[in-house]
mmCIF file of all heavy atoms in Angstrom:
data_model
loop_
_atom_site.group_PDB
_atom_site.id
_atom_site.type_symbol
_atom_site.label_atom_id
_atom_site.label_comp_id
_atom_site.label_asym_id
_atom_site.label_seq_id
_atom_site.Cartn_x
_atom_site.Cartn_y
_atom_site.Cartn_z
ATOM 1 N N THR A 490 12.330 8.827 -20.094
ATOM 2 C CA THR A 490 13.112 9.380 -21.198
ATOM 3 C C THR A 490 13.590 8.212 -22.063
ATOM 4 O O THR A 490 13.537 7.049 -21.624
ATOM 5 C CB THR A 490 14.349 10.133 -20.664
ATOM 6 O OG1 THR A 490 15.187 9.162 -20.004
ATOM 7 C CG2 THR A 490 13.964 11.237 -19.678
ATOM 8 N N PRO A 491 14.083 8.489 -23.267
ATOM 9 C CA PRO A 491 14.640 7.398 -24.072
ATOM 10 C C PRO A 491 15.742 6.646 -23.310
ATOM 11 O O PRO A 491 15.860 5.429 -23.425
ATOM 12 C CB PRO A 491 15.202 8.118 -25.302
ATOM 13 C CG PRO A 491 14.339 9.330 -25.439
ATOM 14 C CD PRO A 491 14.017 9.750 -24.030
ATOM 15 N N GLU A 492 16.509 7.368 -22.485
ATOM 16 C CA GLU A 492 17.560 6.714 -21.696
ATOM 17 C C GLU A 492 16.933 5.795 -20.636
ATOM 18 O O GLU A 492 17.427 4.702 -20.385
ATOM 19 C CB GLU A 492 18.459 7.756 -21.009
ATOM 20 C CG GLU A 492 19.285 8.616 -21.970
ATOM 21 C CD GLU A 492 18.447 9.631 -22.758
ATOM 22 O OE1 GLU A 492 17.443 10.161 -22.213
ATOM 23 O OE2 GLU A 492 18.778 9.877 -23.932
ATOM 24 N N ASP A 493 15.844 6.259 -20.019
ATOM 25 C CA ASP A 493 15.146 5.415 -19.034
ATOM 26 C C ASP A 493 14.617 4.145 -19.689
ATOM 27 O O ASP A 493 14.738 3.046 -19.138
ATOM 28 C CB ASP A 493 13.947 6.157 -18.412
ATOM 29 C CG ASP A 493 14.359 7.304 -17.515
ATOM 30 O OD1 ASP A 493 15.486 7.276 -16.990
ATOM 31 O OD2 ASP A 493 13.539 8.229 -17.338
ATOM 32 N N LEU A 494 14.010 4.325 -20.853
ATOM 33 C CA LEU A 494 13.449 3.162 -21.543
ATOM 34 C C LEU A 494 14.554 2.153 -21.844
ATOM 35 O O LEU A 494 14.422 0.956 -21.586
ATOM 36 C CB LEU A 494 12.729 3.594 -22.829
ATOM 37 C CG LEU A 494 12.165 2.447 -23.667
ATOM 38 C CD1 LEU A 494 11.135 1.626 -22.886
ATOM 39 C CD2 LEU A 494 11.535 2.983 -24.963
ATOM 40 N N LYS A 495 15.672 2.674 -22.353
ATOM 41 C CA LYS A 495 16.789 1.789 -22.678
ATOM 42 C C LYS A 495 17.333 1.111 -21.418
ATOM 43 O O LYS A 495 17.672 -0.082 -21.429
ATOM 44 C CB LYS A 495 17.895 2.588 -23.386
ATOM 45 C CG LYS A 495 19.030 1.726 -23.879
ATOM 46 C CD LYS A 495 19.874 2.466 -24.898
ATOM 47 C CE LYS A 495 21.245 1.848 -25.132
ATOM 48 N NZ LYS A 495 21.384 0.420 -24.936
ATOM 49 N N ASP A 496 17.374 1.859 -20.348
ATOM 50 C CA ASP A 496 17.837 1.321 -19.070
ATOM 51 C C ASP A 496 16.932 0.152 -18.640
ATOM 52 O O ASP A 496 17.414 -0.915 -18.226
ATOM 53 C CB ASP A 496 17.780 2.467 -18.044
ATOM 54 C CG ASP A 496 18.500 2.145 -16.754
ATOM 55 O OD1 ASP A 496 19.254 1.158 -16.723
ATOM 56 O OD2 ASP A 496 18.289 2.886 -15.765
ATOM 57 N N ILE A 497 15.627 0.339 -18.766
ATOM 58 C CA ILE A 497 14.665 -0.718 -18.412
ATOM 59 C C ILE A 497 14.833 -1.914 -19.352
ATOM 60 O O ILE A 497 14.882 -3.069 -18.913
ATOM 61 C CB ILE A 497 13.219 -0.164 -18.483
ATOM 62 C CG1 ILE A 497 12.980 0.830 -17.336
ATOM 63 C CG2 ILE A 497 12.188 -1.294 -18.455
ATOM 64 C CD1 ILE A 497 11.736 1.682 -17.498
ATOM 65 N N GLN A 498 14.937 -1.622 -20.637
ATOM 66 C CA GLN A 498 15.088 -2.713 -21.618
ATOM 67 C C GLN A 498 16.376 -3.497 -21.374
ATOM 68 O O GLN A 498 16.375 -4.739 -21.390
ATOM 69 C CB GLN A 498 15.091 -2.142 -23.041
ATOM 70 C CG GLN A 498 13.725 -1.608 -23.489
ATOM 71 C CD GLN A 498 13.832 -0.789 -24.775
ATOM 72 O OE1 GLN A 498 14.722 0.063 -24.911
ATOM 73 N NE2 GLN A 498 12.925 -1.024 -25.723
ATOM 74 N N ASP A 499 17.474 -2.779 -21.130
ATOM 75 C CA ASP A 499 18.754 -3.455 -20.886
ATOM 76 C C ASP A 499 18.690 -4.291 -19.611
ATOM 77 O O ASP A 499 19.204 -5.411 -19.568
ATOM 78 C CB ASP A 499 19.895 -2.428 -20.754
ATOM 79 C CG ASP A 499 20.383 -1.938 -22.110
ATOM 80 O OD1 ASP A 499 20.368 -2.729 -23.079
ATOM 81 O OD2 ASP A 499 20.783 -0.760 -22.211
ATOM 82 N N TYR A 500 18.058 -3.729 -18.595
ATOM 83 C CA TYR A 500 17.981 -4.445 -17.317
ATOM 84 C C TYR A 500 17.153 -5.715 -17.483
ATOM 85 O O TYR A 500 17.545 -6.792 -17.023
ATOM 86 C CB TYR A 500 17.383 -3.536 -16.237
ATOM 87 C CG TYR A 500 17.578 -4.099 -14.850
ATOM 88 C CD1 TYR A 500 18.821 -4.021 -14.220
ATOM 89 C CD2 TYR A 500 16.536 -4.731 -14.178
ATOM 90 C CE1 TYR A 500 19.023 -4.551 -12.952
ATOM 91 C CE2 TYR A 500 16.733 -5.267 -12.905
ATOM 92 C CZ TYR A 500 17.969 -5.173 -12.294
ATOM 93 O OH TYR A 500 18.164 -5.704 -11.042
ATOM 94 N N ALA A 501 16.019 -5.588 -18.164
ATOM 95 C CA ALA A 501 15.167 -6.760 -18.401
ATOM 96 C C ALA A 501 15.957 -7.811 -19.173
ATOM 97 O O ALA A 501 16.012 -8.982 -18.784
ATOM 98 C CB ALA A 501 13.912 -6.354 -19.171
ATOM 99 N N ARG A 502 16.607 -7.384 -20.228
ATOM 100 C CA ARG A 502 17.374 -8.332 -21.038
ATOM 101 C C ARG A 502 18.443 -9.031 -20.224
ATOM 102 O O ARG A 502 18.672 -10.231 -20.385
ATOM 103 C CB ARG A 502 18.006 -7.597 -22.232
ATOM 104 C CG ARG A 502 19.022 -8.434 -22.964
ATOM 105 C CD ARG A 502 19.479 -7.795 -24.232
ATOM 106 N NE ARG A 502 18.481 -7.947 -25.283
ATOM 107 C CZ ARG A 502 18.640 -7.509 -26.515
ATOM 108 N NH1 ARG A 502 19.743 -6.876 -26.862
ATOM 109 N NH2 ARG A 502 17.707 -7.697 -27.416
ATOM 110 N N SER A 503 19.077 -8.304 -19.325
ATOM 111 C CA SER A 503 20.158 -8.905 -18.529
ATOM 112 C C SER A 503 19.622 -10.001 -17.611
ATOM 113 O O SER A 503 20.390 -10.800 -17.076
ATOM 114 C CB SER A 503 20.889 -7.839 -17.718
ATOM 115 O OG SER A 503 20.122 -7.464 -16.584
ATOM 116 N N LEU A 504 18.297 -10.026 -17.410
ATOM 117 C CA LEU A 504 17.674 -11.052 -16.568
ATOM 118 C C LEU A 504 16.927 -12.084 -17.407
ATOM 119 O O LEU A 504 16.122 -12.854 -16.879
ATOM 120 C CB LEU A 504 16.673 -10.383 -15.615
ATOM 121 C CG LEU A 504 17.236 -9.331 -14.673
ATOM 122 C CD1 LEU A 504 16.123 -8.645 -13.900
ATOM 123 C CD2 LEU A 504 18.218 -9.974 -13.717
ATOM 124 N N ALA A 505 17.167 -12.099 -18.711
ATOM 125 C CA ALA A 505 16.466 -13.011 -19.629
ATOM 126 C C ALA A 505 14.965 -12.736 -19.658
ATOM 127 O O ALA A 505 14.159 -13.639 -19.858
ATOM 128 C CB ALA A 505 16.751 -14.473 -19.295
ATOM 129 N N ILE A 506 14.599 -11.469 -19.454
ATOM 130 C CA ILE A 506 13.196 -11.076 -19.573
ATOM 131 C C ILE A 506 13.061 -10.214 -20.827
ATOM 132 O O ILE A 506 13.863 -9.294 -21.032
ATOM 133 C CB ILE A 506 12.740 -10.273 -18.337
ATOM 134 C CG1 ILE A 506 12.800 -11.154 -17.082
ATOM 135 C CG2 ILE A 506 11.337 -9.693 -18.540
ATOM 136 C CD1 ILE A 506 12.620 -10.392 -15.787
ATOM 137 N N GLU A 507 12.079 -10.522 -21.649
ATOM 138 C CA GLU A 507 11.869 -9.740 -22.862
ATOM 139 C C GLU A 507 10.885 -8.606 -22.558
ATOM 140 O O GLU A 507 9.744 -8.859 -22.192
ATOM 141 C CB GLU A 507 11.295 -10.637 -23.965
ATOM 142 C CG GLU A 507 11.016 -9.891 -25.251
ATOM 143 C CD GLU A 507 10.559 -10.832 -26.364
ATOM 144 O OE1 GLU A 507 10.293 -12.015 -26.091
ATOM 145 O OE2 GLU A 507 10.475 -10.356 -27.503
ATOM 146 N N PRO A 508 11.336 -7.357 -22.712
ATOM 147 C CA PRO A 508 10.428 -6.240 -22.481
ATOM 148 C C PRO A 508 9.697 -5.903 -23.782
ATOM 149 O O PRO A 508 10.322 -5.841 -24.837
ATOM 150 C CB PRO A 508 11.388 -5.103 -22.116
ATOM 151 C CG PRO A 508 12.644 -5.416 -22.881
ATOM 152 C CD PRO A 508 12.702 -6.912 -23.081
ATOM 153 N N TYR A 509 8.382 -5.748 -23.728
ATOM 154 C CA TYR A 509 7.714 -5.256 -24.937
ATOM 155 C C TYR A 509 6.681 -4.211 -24.562
ATOM 156 O O TYR A 509 6.150 -4.217 -23.459
ATOM 157 C CB TYR A 509 7.144 -6.404 -25.776
ATOM 158 C CG TYR A 509 5.887 -7.073 -25.254
ATOM 159 C CD1 TYR A 509 4.643 -6.797 -25.838
ATOM 160 C CD2 TYR A 509 5.934 -7.991 -24.220
ATOM 161 C CE1 TYR A 509 3.491 -7.413 -25.388
ATOM 162 C CE2 TYR A 509 4.778 -8.609 -23.764
ATOM 163 C CZ TYR A 509 3.561 -8.319 -24.349
ATOM 164 O OH TYR A 509 2.417 -8.928 -23.899
ATOM 165 N N LEU A 510 6.462 -3.291 -25.491
ATOM 166 C CA LEU A 510 5.666 -2.117 -25.167
ATOM 167 C C LEU A 510 4.261 -2.195 -25.728
ATOM 168 O O LEU A 510 4.038 -2.787 -26.784
ATOM 169 C CB LEU A 510 6.327 -0.852 -25.743
ATOM 170 C CG LEU A 510 7.334 -0.177 -24.812
ATOM 171 C CD1 LEU A 510 8.619 -0.945 -24.780
ATOM 172 C CD2 LEU A 510 7.552 1.262 -25.224
ATOM 173 N N GLU A 511 3.354 -1.539 -25.027
ATOM 174 C CA GLU A 511 2.008 -1.323 -25.550
ATOM 175 C C GLU A 511 1.666 0.152 -25.458
ATOM 176 O O GLU A 511 1.800 0.762 -24.399
ATOM 177 C CB GLU A 511 0.968 -2.101 -24.735
ATOM 178 C CG GLU A 511 -0.460 -1.803 -25.209
ATOM 179 C CD GLU A 511 -1.561 -2.356 -24.300
ATOM 180 O OE1 GLU A 511 -1.244 -2.902 -23.224
ATOM 181 O OE2 GLU A 511 -2.737 -2.203 -24.681
ATOM 182 N N ILE A 512 1.228 0.702 -26.585
ATOM 183 C CA ILE A 512 0.524 1.981 -26.558
ATOM 184 C C ILE A 512 -0.888 1.639 -26.992
ATOM 185 O O ILE A 512 -1.160 1.397 -28.167
ATOM 186 C CB ILE A 512 1.202 3.004 -27.478
ATOM 187 C CG1 ILE A 512 2.571 3.320 -26.884
ATOM 188 C CG2 ILE A 512 0.335 4.259 -27.603
ATOM 189 C CD1 ILE A 512 3.287 4.467 -27.519
ATOM 190 N N ASP A 513 -1.764 1.558 -26.012
ATOM 191 C CA ASP A 513 -3.130 1.110 -26.258
ATOM 192 C C ASP A 513 -3.838 2.150 -27.134
ATOM 193 O O ASP A 513 -3.692 3.351 -26.916
ATOM 194 C CB ASP A 513 -3.842 0.958 -24.902
ATOM 195 C CG ASP A 513 -5.078 0.082 -24.987
ATOM 196 O OD1 ASP A 513 -5.457 -0.342 -26.106
ATOM 197 O OD2 ASP A 513 -5.672 -0.169 -23.922
ATOM 198 N N MET A 514 -4.602 1.664 -28.131
ATOM 199 C CA MET A 514 -5.378 2.541 -28.995
ATOM 200 C C MET A 514 -6.396 1.734 -29.772
ATOM 201 O O MET A 514 -6.237 0.529 -29.871
ATOM 202 C CB MET A 514 -4.465 3.310 -29.959
ATOM 203 C CG MET A 514 -3.604 2.435 -30.863
ATOM 204 S SD MET A 514 -2.508 3.365 -31.938
ATOM 205 C CE MET A 514 -1.454 4.238 -30.794
ATOM 206 N N PRO A 515 -7.450 2.322 -30.318
ATOM 207 C CA PRO A 515 -7.759 3.756 -30.318
ATOM 208 C C PRO A 515 -8.381 4.260 -29.011
ATOM 209 O O PRO A 515 -8.348 5.460 -28.765
ATOM 210 C CB PRO A 515 -8.762 3.891 -31.471
ATOM 211 C CG PRO A 515 -9.471 2.569 -31.508
ATOM 212 C CD PRO A 515 -8.419 1.565 -31.137
ATOM 213 N N GLY A 516 -8.946 3.352 -28.172
ATOM 214 C CA GLY A 516 -9.423 3.810 -26.864
ATOM 215 C C GLY A 516 -8.224 4.032 -25.947
ATOM 216 O O GLY A 516 -7.075 3.820 -26.356
#
Side-chain angles (χ1 to χ4, degrees):
T490 64
E492 294 71 34
D493 291 335
L494 177 60
K495 186 164 163 29
D496 192 13
I497 290 166
Q498 290 168 314
D499 280 327
Y500 193 76
R502 169 171 283 182
S503 77
L504 301 174
I506 296 169
E507 179 175 9
Y509 75 104
L510 271 76
E511 176 190 5
I512 293 190
D513 199 355
M514 58 182 62

